[in-house]
Amino acid sequence: MTGPILLTGLATCTTCKGPMTLRTGTSKSGKVHRYYSCSTHGRQGRTGCTGRSIPMDILDTMVTDHLVAELLQPDRLRATLASLWTLRAEKTAQVDGRVAALRGELAGAEEKLKRLYRMVEEGVTDLDDILKARISALKEERDRVRATLDRIHIAERPPAEIAPELIEKFGQLMRANVTSGEIPFRKAWLQAIVDRVEVDADVIRIIGDKASLEAAIVGAASSAAPGIRRSVRKWRARKDSNL
């Protein structure tokens, strides 16, 4: 993530499917130009691939500007975040149900132990080996349920609605960071939502999947690290080959 090349591991040559890597060239004025260039062509020449190059700053700008335009505008963010809020609410409800069931199990185990202790104290039964084993089993069950309850993280319930100013503030921050922020952040965000950027002769295809996109937005919204990208061709913003 700390390397200076934004699309490392993402930019690929459509012809040979090989990665596109840095190639430099110096103009007559002495200015150094940087390109994404087909690595297969660089290693094997035209026998490996006919070759393809594109100025690095042009491809970086095309990809980031298009993603910002498609994904980080208020209407798109509102729809995406609303969907995620619904999922969070459903998961919270599932956790609530699980917690209620565990608390019921815990109360049942403790009540059974109390009855057994009461029977021994009142002389109704003797504390023989069978009763000792039963008490030990109930204690283990109680401790297991308690440990499970301790491990369950009770998440804060998501709000019923997302404030427009929150969406706008989040969108502005993300747009600024993605287009002109530090390279490690920009690379992490891109690699969280994009599987690859295919460079063809006359078109650039940005390919990713919806699950990774949602995970990345959740991570950014909660200040967590972006999710791990997945290599599944599913997400098409306009249901065609171009994002």
Side-chain angles (χ1 to χ4, degrees):
M1 292 304 169
T2 58
I5 303 175
L6 186 62
L7 299 178
T8 297
L10 296 179
T12 60
C13 172
T14 302
T15 302
C16 66
K17 308 302 181 184
M20 299 190 72
T21 56
L22 171 65
R23 180 176 66 83
T24 60
T26 305
S27 65
K28 293 180 179 180
S29 63
K31 182 179 180 180
V32 177
H33 298 276
R34 291 151 52 93
Y35 300 87
Y36 287 107
S37 185
C38 175
S39 60
T40 304
H41 179 78
R43 295 192 314 272
Q44 303 175 16
R46 295 185 65 84
T47 58
C49 181
T50 55
R52 182 164 291 113
S53 293
I54 184 172
M56 189 167 286
D57 57 342
I58 290 179
L59 184 60
D60 289 348
T61 300
M62 289 174 64
V63 170
T64 54
D65 284 357
H66 196 71
L67 287 173
V68 165
E70 288 287 337
L71 306 179
L72 297 179
Q73 298 306 317
D75 289 345
R76 184 69 179 267
L77 283 175
R78 188 177 296 107
T80 304
L81 291 175
S83 173
L84 296 173
W85 250 244
T86 300
L87 290 175
R88 280 189 59 192
E90 292 173 355
K91 290 180 180 179
T92 299
Q94 292 174 0
V95 171
D96 288 347
R98 176 62 174 156
V99 168
L102 287 170
R103 286 174 176 167
E105 291 181 29
L106 179 60
E110 290 179 338
E111 181 59 31
K112 290 176 183 177
L113 281 170
K114 288 179 182 178
R115 287 202 300 266
L116 290 177
Y117 290 149
R118 193 179 306 117
M119 291 172 62
V120 174
E121 289 176 356
E122 294 175 356
V124 177
T125 184
D126 294 328
L127 189 61
D128 57 15
D129 291 340
I130 296 177
L131 189 57
K132 287 180 180 179
R134 177 57 178 159
I135 290 174
S136 178
L138 285 172
K139 285 182 176 180
E140 289 180 1
E141 180 181 352
R142 178 198 61 189
D143 294 342
R144 174 188 60 79
V145 175
R146 281 178 176 173
T148 303
L149 281 170
D150 290 340
R151 289 195 300 268
I152 292 179
H153 174 65
I154 307 299
E156 181 181 356
R157 285 186 174 276
E161 295 183 0
I162 310 171
E165 57 271 19
L166 176 61
I167 295 175
E168 180 60 29
K169 183 178 179 180
F170 174 66
Q172 289 177 353
L173 177 63
M174 287 298 296
R175 288 191 291 272
N177 283 334
V178 169
T179 56
S180 58
E182 296 293 330
I183 288 293
F185 174 87
R186 299 173 68 194
K187 291 179 69 172
W189 189 78
L190 286 169
Q191 294 193 16
I193 64 171
V194 175
D195 286 335
R196 61 189 175 277
V197 176
E198 295 183 350
V199 181
D200 210 334
D202 55 359
V203 66
I204 306 298
R205 299 180 184 89
I206 305 173
I207 298 171
D209 83 283
K210 189 175 181 180
S212 295
L213 171 63
E214 292 180 344
I217 292 180
V218 170
S222 61
S223 299
I228 299 173
R229 60 191 180 94
R230 300 164 59 184
S231 297
V232 182
R233 292 185 69 163
K234 294 181 181 178
W235 169 41
R236 297 290 188 278
R238 295 197 300 265
K239 299 183 179 180
D240 59 18
S241 62
N242 302 322
L243 177 63

